[in-house]
Amino acid sequence: MAAPDGTAPQRTRPQAAVKPVRWAADAVAALREGARLRLDYSAQSLWRVDRVIEEIRREGAPMQAVDGVLRGFGAYAGEVVVRHTGAEWWATGGEHWVRTPDGRLWDPIEEARRCYTGHGSLRLLCRDATAGA
């Protein structure tokens, strides 16, 4: 349905998406400028993100020092899921999740932290969240 001025209506993002979308964009910019890696919000790009997290882990930086970076990488993975499935960001108590159309909740930011400890994968989270989409 067209808006009163004849233009197509714009789909608005939920308020819960504001912060994670910004964090994801910051991660994309940081990797483009710092590591010369281009991220295109594709599921395949999460292979690169997993590898970057692994490289940071090998350097031995404490979790507290890299938590903001990991938050950005997790938000990026969440945006990949949102864009490929029609999912939405949900937030409560300062935590952000992605809810896929089938009603499942995903925590890509925590998954990025798990990647840093060697027990997670943003690529696999995306694969699981987009299965059947």
Side-chain angles (χ1 to χ4, degrees):
M1 179 174 188
D5 64 1
T7 62
Q10 283 193 316
R11 181 174 181 255
T12 59
R13 304 279 307 261
Q15 183 64 27
V18 172
K19 286 182 180 179
V21 168
R22 180 77 246 155
W23 297 331
D26 290 347
V28 168
L31 283 181
R32 183 181 59 241
E33 294 167 13
R36 303 272 187 240
L37 288 175
R38 290 218 181 276
L39 299 178
D40 60 3
Y41 292 93
S42 68
Q44 295 80 12
S45 68
L46 293 172
W47 283 88
R48 283 179 245 136
V49 176
D50 277 347
R51 284 194 304 262
V52 168
I53 293 171
E54 175 62 24
E55 289 171 17
I56 294 169
R57 184 171 72 83
R58 277 194 225 132
E59 292 173 6
M63 176 74 82
Q64 299 81 0
V66 297
D67 195 56
V69 172
L70 296 173
R71 181 185 66 201
F73 290 155
Y76 174 78
E79 267 299 288
V80 170
V81 172
V82 165
R83 292 177 183 201
H84 290 272
T85 66
E88 290 186 333
W89 282 101
W90 284 56
T92 184
E95 299 292 322
H96 293 81
W97 299 279
V98 170
R99 184 175 180 158
T100 49
D102 61 9
R104 293 182 296 169
L105 288 172
W106 304 87
D107 191 346
I109 296 171
E110 183 59 30
E111 189 68 13
R113 293 179 182 122
R114 288 178 37 78
C115 289
Y116 188 72
T117 64
H119 301 289
S121 169
L122 294 174
R123 177 186 58 83
L124 294 177
L125 177 134
C126 181
R127 183 198 67 192
D128 293 346
T130 59

